[in-house]
Amino acid sequence: MSWRTLPQSLGVDIFALKAAAFDLSPDPALVVDADGALVAVNEAAEGLFGQGLALLARGRFSAALPPGSAVVALLNRALEEQAPVRERGIHITLFGLAPFEADGAAAPLGDGSVLLTLSLKHGLGAGHERTGAEAAGGLRSIVGLGRMLAHEIKNPLAGIRGAAQLLKSGAKAEDAPLAQLIVDETDRVRRLVDRMEAFSDDALPSKAPLNIHQVLDRVRALAANGVADGLALKEQYDPSLPPVLGDEDQLIQIFLNLVKNAAEAAHARGDGRGEISITTAYRHGVRVRAAKGQALRGAPLEVRIVDNGPGVPDHLREHLFQPFVTSKANGAGLGLALVTKLVAAHGGLLDFESEPGRTVFRVLLPIASEEDVPA
């Protein structure tokens, strides 16, 4: 075990921790004891903080950080709630180091100490800001094109809807739901076309309390009769979940995009054993900072889209959510960029993990409060 222990390492049961996993983790990790002293760090944390580590090691950990530090608040929440907590996009400032941004997670270890891990943003500092600006610029550049094409799309949609209604009137009883599905989806596409400004910064979702499982059932029905045909499509829902606060059309768009990508990956296996699963769960302690400096809000409702395809190529992982990034020969690379935009507009989180044979896209969304539910 190659723990980087500091002189104050007293009262922490080091051997009870998974020392090897801690030290070899690519993410910076630190342990703060019950007295607020930094007692252990891994190699990634040493490399990140460098000379600043000596400052962190003196006295109380919080004393080396600015007043109101989001890192200290995260540690305190983990202790108060006695449960793992996480936060996206926290700003970290330390004397002698340039400010940077990271996703943070804190977990109590049972003896009064807390394990803090930091997941660094790609391209810290100014480089990260340029990347974000480029992504936003790429999204804005397609808004004009989308608006120009909107009226051209509406004309064939009207014809498709009329044909589907005629089919429904003469269809067998077992085929009528499929014809109605075409009508419903045509109406939804038209509404989406009417809101092509979804890529623009001023477009806000029309939120209302929704049953997330009704949304996912709709997505599942669309996928089963389309992109997921021939795949095993499974679901595991938590029936106790409270209503989500969201825009139904946009939520359908989010999860239909994710399921479509999962289906294409599962089909790529080529052995007829492709599989997609959709699961829901409630995750305590997840909060996000809303746009424009608004207060933190809980986003504990989790939806996972899992496929058993070949995985995301390594060279795409860092840029996967940027526009025009795709591994498909005929793909536009806009699906995940739009999903990212819509999830953020809902005050949610989107991330993924991938390895050959298993890729997971996870969406965390806020739940409706009592004030959001109509009387």
Side-chain angles (χ1 to χ4, degrees), residues 55-70:
L55 177 62
L56 290 175
R58 296 194 199 111
R60 292 177 58 84
F61 175 79
S62 59
L65 300 172
S69 169

Side-chain angles (χ1 to χ4, degrees), residues 61-63 65-66 68-77:
F61 175 79
S62 59
L65 300 172
S69 169
V71 176
V72 177
L74 191 67
L75 292 170
N76 290 339
R77 279 182 49 216

Side-chain angles (χ1 to χ4, degrees), residues 160-235:
I160 293 171
R161 191 182 194 283
Q165 288 179 315
L166 288 175
L167 286 173
K168 181 182 176 183
S169 63
K172 298 178 182 178
E174 62 269 23
D175 294 332
L178 290 176
Q180 183 61 45
L181 187 64
I182 297 174
V183 173
D184 292 343
E185 283 304 294
T186 304
D187 290 340
R188 186 174 71 85
V189 172
R190 183 181 178 89
R191 291 195 299 269
L192 292 173
V193 170
D194 287 337
R195 293 156 57 187
M196 287 300 292
E197 71 272 15
F199 277 112
S200 66
D201 293 335
D202 56 355
L204 296 175
S206 178
K207 297 180 185 178
L210 299 169
N211 184 330
I212 190 63
H213 298 136
Q214 291 180 359
V215 172
L216 295 175
D217 284 342
R218 177 76 170 275
V219 170
R220 189 185 189 284
L222 292 169
N225 291 284
V227 293
D229 186 29
L231 301 175
L233 192 54
K234 303 177 180 180
E235 72 274 345

Side-chain angles (χ1 to χ4, degrees), residues 254-255 258 301-305 339 343 348-351 361-365:
I254 288 169
F255 294 113
L258 295 177
L301 194 151
E302 180 187 76
V303 180
R304 288 179 175 240
I305 310 296
V339 167
V343 170
L349 303 174
L350 171 67
D351 60 18
F361 278 85
R362 183 177 67 152
V363 179
L364 289 156
L365 295 168

